[in-house]
Amino acid sequence: MSLTNPPSSSGSLSRTRVGNLKRSLQATVDDAIESRKPGGYTSKVRVRDRYNIVGFISSGTYGRVYKAVGKNGKKGEFAIKKFKPDKEGETIQYTGLSQSAIREMALCTELSHANVVQLEEIILEDKCIFMVFEYTEHDLLQIIHHHTQPQRHAIPAPMVRSIMFQLLNGLLYLHTNWVLHRDLKPANILVTSSGAIRIGDLGLARLFYKPLNSLFSGDKVVVTIWYRAPELLMGSRHYTPAVDMWAIGCIFAELLSLRPIFKGEEAKMDSKKTVPFQRNQMMKIVEILGLPRKESWPGLASMPEYSQLQSLVLHRQPSHFHRGSNLEGWYQSCLKNGGYSSTSSAGTPGADGFDLLSRMLEYDPSKRMTAEQALEHPYFTNGGPISGNCFEGIEGKYPHRRVTQDDNDIRTGSLPGTKRSGLPDDSLMRASKRLKE
């Protein structure tokens, strides 16, 4: 099956518009989701009453994630996210859940779209909260890594096109409903075994409609460094959905090149929690896009970190700091290395792909392409139908998600607020692998 033309999203969201958004990607919706009730809080239910725990997937600052299968008539595979309450000092004190966890639960309970991860239910048990999601077998980071082993081999161009279209459809739904994701990166873009794209991990997401305070005052650091938009790097106190579109541009570039386009080193906050200027990351962007200029970005000079940018230019003056953008050269080299055709015929990124990329990686956020505009771009409208299954026509299989038995007891495996040594942490392991590349 193929996808239809993208939906429109001007003005406020109506019931008709929500219906149109969902129908636009009907081909990507699994039958299980269609029959599922919206996720919500369930009282007096224990996790093991409904699910058999298959194994442990990964852990992070929020808690742990397990793979499970339904039981007692509940069919399907699920990912169960176990939140642990914050702790103070060495003594475990149940101080409540993090703001991130609360936001994710609130938003996921309300959201419903074919390209946003589906929440099944929320369970409260033994001072822990469990979010039960549909299980997805892959993510984009895993897929990109697969294409670097044993040697680099490009992701097929039709697959990239399908991934991008579905991803932008999900993002259009979020933005139309006044939700900023604020942490889009390959690891957070999930892929089902049937090739449907799901935007996942809404821990940093938040509503942006008429906030009482600036977004900066609530979360001073958002978006993983390699995907962080220039206005964030320049210390902007107010930002828009354009920060998500920059991240999507970075993901598009990474799908084509199999490596992050702007791979900088992050400067950590000091003990006073002062947000540092990310000099190295800004340099990586300048090396490819050239220096941002006040003429093309009128708000640049008013940015809090503008003096730092000027200092960067004064103290380090490589030749590329003084030339224009080299994005097209980077793109053409990427096409050549990946064996893609430079034309825009069906099945190739071509000139249309470069135009789309350049419009998403625009310095000035007010000029950066929106999700709605991107979906109407010739990269998608030319070249024939787009499959709702990104794996369609792909020979071979992608490896399944790693599930271990090191900590498969979701109830007693770890007390809330404590750490266990010796357990694998996929997020940390994957990050270390990427840094070595």
Side-chain angles (χ1 to χ4, degrees):
M1 298 180 70
S2 62
L3 306 183
T4 59
N5 289 331
S8 173
S9 67
S10 58
S12 59
L13 189 66
S14 65
R15 289 187 178 182
T16 301
R17 193 179 304 279
V18 172
N20 289 339
L21 281 167
K22 293 168 74 175
R23 282 192 294 274
S24 70
L25 265 179
Q26 194 66 33
T28 67
V29 186
D30 296 335
D31 292 338
I33 291 182
E34 282 297 300
S35 62
R36 222 175 263 169
K37 294 181 180 179
Y41 171 71
T42 303
S43 61
K44 298 182 180 178
V45 171
R46 302 187 74 81
V47 174
R48 288 191 175 277
D49 292 341
R50 293 200 177 192
Y51 305 97
N52 283 321
I53 307 304
V54 175
F56 169 78
I57 299 174
S58 65
S59 66
T61 55
Y62 54 80
R64 317 177 79 75
V65 180
Y66 299 83
K67 180 179 179 180
V69 293
K71 70 182 205 182
N72 295 331
K74 195 174 188 67
K75 297 180 180 180
E77 295 181 322
F78 304 90
I80 302 181
K81 197 172 191 177
K82 174 186 178 182
F83 287 103
K84 58 186 181 184
D86 296 335
K87 69 170 185 173
E88 295 182 349
E90 295 301 318
T91 304
I92 300 171
Q93 296 184 17
Y94 296 96
T95 58
L97 286 165
S98 67
Q99 179 176 267
S100 171
I102 293 169
R103 277 186 187 156
E104 184 172 15
M105 286 185 286
L107 288 173
C108 287
T109 300
E110 297 291 329
L111 297 171
S112 178
H113 188 266
N115 297 120
V116 177
V117 69
Q118 182 79 13
L119 175 67
E120 178 72 15
E121 63 178 333
I122 299 172
I123 297 174
L124 174 63
E125 178 184 343
D126 296 337
K127 298 182 180 179
C128 287
I129 287 183
F130 301 88
M131 290 184 74
V132 183
F133 293 95
E134 61 170 326
Y135 179 75
T136 54
E137 196 63 73
H138 315 282
D139 59 56
L140 289 191
L141 181 57
Q142 175 195 38
I143 287 172
I144 291 169
H145 181 71
H146 173 74
H147 279 268
T148 65
Q149 306 296 323
Q151 58 187 9
R152 292 182 181 274
H153 53 292
I155 300 175
M159 180 174 171
V160 174
R161 191 162 167 255
S162 173
I163 289 171
M164 289 298 298
F165 189 87
Q166 295 186 64
L167 177 52
L168 284 162
N169 256 291
L171 189 60
L172 173 61
Y173 171 79
L174 293 180
H175 288 176
T176 307
N177 283 284
W178 305 102
V179 176
L180 288 178
H181 188 281
R182 304 197 304 177
D183 197 21
L184 291 168
K185 57 184 178 181
N188 289 343
I189 310 303
L190 309 174
V191 188
T192 70
S193 56
S194 59
I197 301 300
R198 312 274 200 249
I199 296 175
D201 199 342
L202 277 76
L204 273 180
R206 66 159 294 169
L207 296 173
F208 65 94
Y209 178 69
K210 292 184 178 179
L212 296 177
N213 297 306
S214 74
L215 299 181
F216 178 83
S217 65
D219 302 279
K220 291 181 171 53
V221 178
V222 293
V223 189
T224 301
I225 187 69
W226 295 342
Y227 309 91
R228 196 173 300 168
E231 62 267 32
L232 296 175
L233 297 174
M234 295 298 293
S236 176
R237 294 326 193 233
H238 302 278
Y239 51 87
T240 68
V243 301
D244 284 342
M245 288 304 298
W246 177 275
I248 294 291
C250 294
I251 292 171
F252 184 28
E254 194 165 340
L255 288 171
L256 296 174
S257 66
L258 303 179
R259 54 170 62 90
I261 183 172
F262 307 124
K263 192 175 179 180
E265 296 179 8
E266 183 170 15
K268 301 297 183 182
M269 285 196 291
D270 58 24
S271 57
K272 297 179 181 179
K273 300 296 182 182
T274 302
V275 180
F277 176 59
Q278 299 292 345
R279 300 174 68 88
N280 187 261
Q281 182 64 24
M282 197 69 208
M283 281 180 58
K284 296 297 183 183
I285 295 173
V286 169
E287 285 172 5
I288 293 178
L289 299 186
L291 273 171
R293 302 192 179 281
K294 292 184 288 184
E295 295 77 17
S296 57
W297 185 1
L300 178 62
S302 62
M303 292 286 182
E305 302 290 5
Y306 181 63
S307 61
Q308 292 278 10
L309 180 65
Q310 291 178 306
S311 172
L312 183 67
V313 177
L314 289 173
H315 290 89
R316 305 188 65 159
Q317 298 183 331
S319 59
H320 54 250
F321 268 36
H322 302 282
R323 68 174 184 235
S325 172
N326 188 42
L327 181 62
E328 187 167 10
W330 178 93
Y331 183 80
Q332 293 301 331
S333 176
C334 176
L335 294 189
K336 182 178 179 181
N337 293 336
Y340 297 115
S341 170
S342 60
T343 67
S344 291
S345 58
T348 68
D352 287 340
F354 170 70
D355 188 71
L356 176 64
L357 179 63
S358 63
R359 291 173 184 270
M360 291 193 288
L361 297 182
E362 164 67 51
Y363 269 127
D364 186 347
S366 67
K367 299 175 184 175
R368 200 171 300 149
M369 181 174 272
T370 66
E372 181 179 13
Q373 291 168 342
L375 286 165
E376 296 169 351
H377 191 273
Y379 175 71
F380 298 116
T381 58
N382 295 340
I386 302 170
S387 175
N389 173 8
C390 71
F391 298 135
E392 187 172 294
I394 305 299
E395 296 182 2
K397 297 286 187 180
Y398 287 90
H400 290 185
R401 191 177 295 282
R402 189 166 68 95
V403 179
T404 74
Q405 299 300 313
D406 294 306
D407 180 18
N408 62 354
D409 189 340
I410 197 169
R411 186 175 59 83
T412 61
S414 60
L415 290 173
T418 63
K419 298 178 180 179
R420 282 168 54 105
S421 59
L423 292 177
D425 186 334
D426 279 5
S427 60
L428 294 177
M429 290 176 66
R430 290 190 294 194
S432 65
K433 287 180 180 178
R434 298 294 292 275
L435 290 172
K436 292 176 182 178
E437 289 182 1

